[in-house]
Amino acid sequence: MNFDVTYVWQAIPILLQGLKLTLFISLVGLCGGFIIGLIAGIARALGGRISKTLSLIFVELIRGTPIMVQVMFIYFALPLLLPIRIEPITAAVVTIMINSGAYIAEITRGAILSINKGFKEAGLAMGLSSRTTLWHIIMPLALRRMIPALGNQWIISIKDTSLFIVIGVAELTREGQEIIAGNFRALEVWTAVAALYLVVTLCLSFLLKVLEKRMHIL
């Protein structure tokens, strides 16, 4: 089959619509995952025995199962347990939140533990409470160190959205499949899909490198 660039240009407008949904799912999911990961990570690093155990179970459960199994469970199995109806996009966003949250929890834990104990001791010596020391001294330093890993997690989440084709979410990969079903030009369409993923991830990687350089993040 000869490569015909005409089919690429014909597919681009539809693929861009799918790309918008891909970015929306990944961004909203990552924001929710950041909150989940921050709470779980702090519990893992500084919590008591119960909170450490619960957060550890959460992290190991999510990291130990494929994201496709997670979204299938949320979309197909969860409504059998609870009297709720879950839309495909909702299932996709929740899956990204939970999945990225588990990994961000470990990123948070590592960042907190990497901060020299002297900062905590200095805060307590100044009369600050443990909570104030955590949020005003330790966490600003830890969050700064987390930026590269969080950016990398966003890139991973963007690529993970392609798996949501199994529940019919009209993201980038799904739109590519629909176009191929109509024109049978798999070579051109999948090339365009791959190129769009590549452009987005390269742009994010470039922005992360600029941010790291400006903030002098080692």
Side-chain angles (χ1 to χ4, degrees), residues 65-85:
T65 55
I67 188 172
M68 184 176 291
V69 174
Q70 294 165 15
V71 72
M72 296 284 273
F73 181 87
I74 291 173
Y75 185 66
F76 291 110
L78 194 58
L80 299 177
L81 299 174
L82 302 173
I84 56 175
R85 183 176 182 273

Side-chain angles (χ1 to χ4, degrees), residues 147-148 151-152 154-155 198-214:
I147 290 176
N152 185 60
W154 189 12
I155 292 175
L198 185 60
V199 168
V200 170
T201 55
L202 287 177
C203 288
L204 286 177
S205 297
F206 175 76
L207 291 175
L208 283 172
K209 289 180 181 178
V210 172
L211 184 60
E212 290 174 29
K213 186 176 181 180
R214 290 189 176 183

